[in-house]
Amino acid sequence: MYSIEVNNLTKKFGSFVSVDHINFKVKKGEIFGFLGANGAGKSTTIKMLCGILEPTEGDALVGGFSIKSESELVKKNIGYMSQRFSLYNDLSVSENIEFFGGVYGIEKELLKEREKWVLEIAGLQGKEKVLTASLPGGIKQRLALGTAVIHKPGIVFLDEPTSGVDPVSRRAFWDLINSLSESGTTVFVTTHYLEEAEYCGNIILINAGKLIAEGNSKELKSKYLTNTILEIECTPVIDSLSILEKASFVDETSIFGNQIHIIVNDKYTGKEQIKSLLQAKNITVKSIENIIPSLEDVFIHLLEKN
Ligand SMILES: Nc1ncnc2c1ncn2[C@@H]1O[C@H](COP(=O)(O)OP(=O)(O)O)[C@@H](O)[C@H]1O
Ligand SMILES: [Mg+2]
């Protein structure tokens, strides 16, 4: 039922705790999102789960094998796309594919077939001889993913696979992740783009090495953010923000373009309260709406609290 079971996993570098006693489980075939800001401990966790970095404390079962005592078996049964994708820029497309086929021990006959499949995934049919360095970022990422799953592993770890590519390529990449998951592969994916969490089944959020939230998108919204949240459109927006930040009925503020989201407390009496406060300071209020929080609202709220 579970592809990954993590138990008190911890990594220390000297006295610095990079990953702090984390626990979670990943179901077979799901897209599991691992979210957190830069430096939160995502890559360190992934490297431990892939059997390439030894935990200081705790253990995990990945595909049924212990990362501590069976790391060689773990490595054979997973695919891993590292943050700086693992492709060699000075090799051609097909040379990269063949190199990774070799790393994962694929026999020659099978390799031809798998190479075709990877080319298809990356949309690189007929471009086998092209130098990898000259590929656009989005295509390179698809090729990196293809080579990471060339041996058709049951579980694949993707470390920020969409960072640094344009939104259209990012969307296309998520379609690719979806099709992998639909064919039964467990996808463990990290991102610091909070909006990408919406594409995942279950999500965990890590901050300074500690897990601070887990659940699916719906659960996260209802479990961690129960106060009323309002969206205010007004000008000038920055002045409004500093007024609202000081208001006694406001707990938290965040800004989304020309809109402000506020989380209110029990001193809040209604929209008139906001209107009169802002209008008294010569702010033009265009609209005030009650909204269902986005995951971004939930995460900002959790990160401010922790
Ligand atoms: N080899 C290392 N030695 C010392 N500190 C490290 C090492 N690797 C990572 N760290 C630290 O651990 C923290 C988490 O890093 P990392 O797992 O790369 O975060 P993320 O992938 O979420 O951005 C950071 O503060 C980083 O500087
Ligand atoms: Mg990282």
Side-chain angles (χ1 to χ4, degrees), residues 38-39 42-44 83 159-160 190:
N38 282 331
K42 301 181 301 296
S43 294
T44 307
Q83 205 170 340
D159 197 358
E160 298 202 14
T190 78

Side-chain angles (χ1 to χ4, degrees), residues 7 19-20 30 37 65 87 94 122 133 143 145 151-152 167 182 240 259 261 267 271 287 292:
N7 190 0
V19 176
D20 198 354
E30 79 170 320
F65 300 113
L87 297 173
S94 64
L143 178 61
L145 177 60
H151 55 308
K152 299 206 169 168
E182 271 162 20
S240 317
Q259 291 163 337
H261 289 189
K267 294 198 186 77
K271 290 176 185 169
S287 66
I292 297 168

Side-chain angles (χ1 to χ4, degrees), residues 5-24 34 40-49 53-60 67-68 206 208-211:
E5 294 180 61
V6 176
N7 190 0
N8 269 328
L9 194 62
T10 302
K11 184 70 193 181
K12 292 181 185 161
F13 296 108
S15 60
F16 178 74
V17 187
S18 174
V19 176
D20 198 354
H21 299 89
I22 63 173
N23 295 282
F24 61 88
F34 191 25
K42 301 181 301 296
S43 294
T44 307
T45 303
I46 280 213
K47 285 178 200 156
M48 289 193 280
L49 294 179
L53 184 68
E54 206 179 325
T56 314
E57 242 180 89
D59 198 356
I67 57 167
K68 218 163 181 170
I206 188 175
K210 288 195 173 75
L211 275 199

Side-chain angles (χ1 to χ4, degrees), residues 230 232 244 249 262 264 267-280 283 285 287-290:
L230 296 145
I232 305 163
L244 289 165
F249 61 89
I262 63 171
V264 293
K267 294 198 186 77
Y268 172 70
T269 55
K271 290 176 185 169
E272 275 310 315
Q273 192 180 16
I274 302 172
K275 241 186 227 162
S276 50
L277 174 73
L278 293 175
Q279 283 168 349
I283 305 275
V285 180
S287 66
I288 303 173
E289 304 284 345
N290 281 62

Side-chain angles (χ1 to χ4, degrees), residues 144-215:
L145 177 60
T147 57
V149 294
I150 191 168
H151 55 308
K152 299 206 169 168
I155 308 167
V156 63
F157 292 90
L158 310 174
D159 197 358
E160 298 202 14
T162 55
S163 79
V165 292
D166 63 272
V168 175
S169 303
R170 270 167 60 193
R171 186 61 251 202
F173 195 88
W174 276 97
D175 288 339
L176 191 55
I177 291 178
N178 258 317
S179 63
L180 272 177
S181 156
E182 271 162 20
S183 68
T185 311
T186 306
V187 182
F188 185 95
V189 55
T190 78
T191 175
H192 62 253
Y193 295 115
L194 297 184
E195 75 275 14
E196 290 189 338
E198 302 275 4
Y199 308 144
C200 301
N202 281 299
I203 299 153
I204 54 177
L205 179 64
I206 188 175
N207 183 44
K210 288 195 173 75
L211 275 199
I212 59 170
E214 63 179 307

Side-chain angles (χ1 to χ4, degrees), residues 31 51 68 79 142 209 305:
I31 301 175
K68 218 163 181 170
R142 298 175 77 86
K305 247 181 36 182

